[in-house]
Amino acid sequence: MTPRQRYKALLEGDAFDFHPRIPIAMQFAAEYIGSNYRAFASDHKVLVEANLRCAEDFGFDQVSCISDPYRETAGLGGEIVFHDNAVPECRKPPLEDVSEANQLEIPDPESSPRMQDRLEAVRLYRKCSENHYSILGWVEGPAALAGDVRGLSDFLMDLLEEPEECERLLEICTETSIRFARAQIAAGADTIGVGDAICSQISGQTYQNMIQPFQRQLFEAIHRAGARIRLHICGQTRHLWNGLAALAFDIMDCDHMVDLASARQALPDVVLAGNHDPVADILRGNPESIRSKTRTSRSLSGRRFMVNAGCEIPSGTPAANLQA
């Protein structure tokens, strides 16, 4: 089976030869080809080369377009600063007050430079790999993008103090992510990763009241456009499971503190991916311990499982550990 066939077979309930491997590699991938984070996040050709090399050398089944959270934020007017050996940062969020959300203009993915660069990554994957790998596009989830646009601390306060104004901001962020997702699917992505890490810092009630309805809109739009959904929420997500169980999505990245047996009970139909500790298990572990942990994760998750770390593969990970 090709990697893409293997990935598709598991998702569709068909026979497959072994569980797909879908690690996220960013700074590690850049350094693996002798580049750096600045080039990886700013030039789709570097991102694609780095991911394809890792996929070929380490046996990944999916190649990814993720580099940082600020593609859409840049399109909405954020000031993004790049660093050689660190994630880009948003030096100046575009929204100074949540009441000014209506002043934001939803960007066109084909004309916003950083969003367009991600579309070019999808197209280059299609050209280079000829459907050999699953292609993972990426958007920020509604809450994550709102936090990027407003500033994380300010957005969390806004949720408590100005919920009605937050709803308008979330509407704009959701529409931005929908347009970006559709453009990546049209370019050739078969799966859209949705990064909504800030949700782990929001109470279960606030999540269900304020965030889940907008995630539902985004997920439904992605499915209607013909792609799968890979949800990525860093941290402990147990308090979100009741709300997540009411949504239709395909893959859940599980961080290392997530109990996979409990997650399987709460989300019986979702593919679970994880849940190695990126530092303790992957960076500082050894091949034997990694193989043992992978077998345990697979056993707890059942058939609907994909091999992944809890988050990205850290810079400096020994090649033998990633291979394991």
Side-chain angles (χ1 to χ4, degrees), residues 11-23:
L11 286 169
E12 295 182 354
D14 296 332
F16 57 91
D17 47 4
F18 51 82
H19 292 268
R21 293 75 51 93
I22 58 169

Side-chain angles (χ1 to χ4, degrees), residues 106-109 115 174-184:
I106 296 173
D108 175 6
M115 297 171 78
T174 302
E175 181 59 29
T176 298
S177 295
I178 287 173
R179 293 188 187 184
F180 197 21
R182 285 173 174 161
Q184 291 176 72

Side-chain angles (χ1 to χ4, degrees), residues 81-160:
V81 178
F82 295 89
H83 303 288
D84 286 346
N85 297 303
V87 181
E89 64 176 309
C90 182
R91 182 136 321 159
K92 183 174 174 31
L95 191 62
E96 293 187 3
D97 192 289
V98 70
S99 64
E100 300 172 351
N102 279 325
Q103 298 179 19
L104 296 171
E105 294 187 12
I106 296 173
D108 175 6
E110 289 286 5
S111 60
S112 172
R114 295 211 69 221
M115 297 171 78
Q116 198 270 342
D117 183 74
R118 180 168 287 169
L119 298 181
E120 291 302 322
V122 177
R123 294 173 181 131
L124 188 55
Y125 278 136
R126 284 291 301 272
K127 179 179 178 181
C128 292
S129 69
E130 296 181 347
N131 289 324
H132 186 69
Y133 297 104
S134 165
I135 298 174
L136 179 70
W138 199 271
V139 300
E140 291 298 288
L145 182 53
D148 295 338
V149 169
R150 179 73 176 96
L152 293 178
S153 296
D154 288 332
F155 174 65
L156 290 173
M157 291 299 296
D158 292 338
L159 281 173
L160 298 175

Side-chain angles (χ1 to χ4, degrees), residues 210-225:
M210 293 289 297
I211 309 302
Q212 187 217 47
F214 294 101
Q215 284 186 342
R216 185 188 304 277
Q217 292 178 33
L218 175 60
F219 292 179
E220 289 177 350
I222 292 171
H223 277 157
R224 283 196 301 268

